[in-house]
Amino acid sequence: MFYWFLKFVALGPLLRVVFRPRADGLDNVPSQGAAILASNHLSYADWLFMPLVLSRRVSYVAKAEYFTGTGVKGRLQRTFFSGSGQIPIDRSGANAAEGALISAKGVLDRGELFGIFPEGTRSHDGRLYRGKTGVARLALETGVPVVPVAVIGTDTVAPPGKKFGRLVRPTVRFGEPLDFSRYEGMAGDRYILRSVTDEIMYAIMKLSEQEYVDVYASRAKADAKKAARAGDDEAPREGDRKAS
């Protein structure tokens, strides 16, 4: 009930009035039954706007720290994330991916919508990065369709590293469902998983019109930070400039 309270009373109406999000391709999302909504990931606001434009509930997995806080802030945070459709998952251990898969299957087994960001983390520069194969494994093991999704403009509303940016009108685009039933029983084949994942990412790229980079987003972020540190180290110091 708290999910619908947030969506239709406490938070949703405010977001609709202030940001006026647009939605394209809503007919591509099944009106009933399970489906995976695979989206690009530009901002922490993505998981707010994508469910906002749908009439059905969308569940995601979220890091367990959001559910284990103490004090007033911890209780409020726990209530918000659990009530807004988030499922806790411990991402620190070696079995994090398996735990996320089990949680996702539980949502889909109930005939609900499960949202996932195949890139695994937010894009730091607005480009679309290589998808992780968990989305493919989930699709093949459950047999449910995958709806590619593109969120556009959320990185302007809430840019990386900032809580707020500029007021723009975000757009959410839903593509035609992808059917991977031809690969039934092949979820253990890593080449098939990569092929399915790449097909999903290509569909997302067509919807979002982002530049695609065939590198994992986490690696790209680490490389960007490393390059920035190297640039800082190589920059001439004030004393060096005076000496020259």
Side-chain angles (χ1 to χ4, degrees), residues 62-235:
K63 58 184 180 181
E65 292 90 320
Y66 290 147
F67 300 83
T68 57
T70 58
V72 175
K73 180 181 178 181
R75 288 195 297 271
L76 290 174
Q77 187 171 259
R78 184 166 57 251
T79 299
F80 177 81
F81 280 97
S82 60
S84 59
Q86 311 304 297
I87 303 168
I89 180 69
D90 184 0
R91 303 190 302 179
S92 61
N95 294 323
E98 190 66 29
L101 188 67
I102 293 172
S103 298
K105 284 181 177 179
V107 172
L108 297 171
D109 286 345
R110 296 193 296 270
E112 300 174 3
L113 299 177
F114 180 75
I116 188 171
F117 301 110
E119 292 169 277
T121 187
R122 287 172 284 176
S123 171
H124 67 288
D125 58 6
R127 297 188 292 178
L128 183 69
Y129 286 91
R130 194 181 200 208
K132 296 187 176 182
T133 58
V135 63
R137 183 180 168 192
L138 182 61
L140 298 190
E141 291 189 359
T142 61
V144 306
V146 178
V147 178
V149 184
V151 288
I152 302 167
T154 53
D155 54 337
T156 301
V157 173
K162 298 181 181 179
K163 291 185 177 181
F164 302 104
R166 292 188 293 108
L167 187 65
V168 299
R169 192 177 183 186
T171 299
V172 185
R173 294 175 181 165
F174 299 92
E176 294 184 6
L178 303 175
D179 178 17
F180 297 107
S181 58
R182 63 190 183 277
Y183 297 123
E184 183 179 358
M186 304 177 72
D189 188 321
R190 64 189 181 95
Y191 296 104
I192 294 296
L193 293 179
R194 173 45 55 192
S195 177
V196 169
T197 303
D198 288 346
E199 184 175 339
I200 294 169
M201 298 310 294
Y202 180 78
I204 295 173
M205 180 190 71
K206 295 290 286 185
L207 289 170
S208 68
E209 300 179 349
Q210 292 171 273
E211 177 186 351
Y212 179 75
V213 183
D214 195 24
V215 176
Y216 290 119
S218 55
R219 173 64 181 273
K221 281 185 179 181
D223 289 346
K225 290 180 179 178
K226 184 177 180 180
R229 287 195 298 268
D232 291 340
D233 292 340
E234 293 174 3

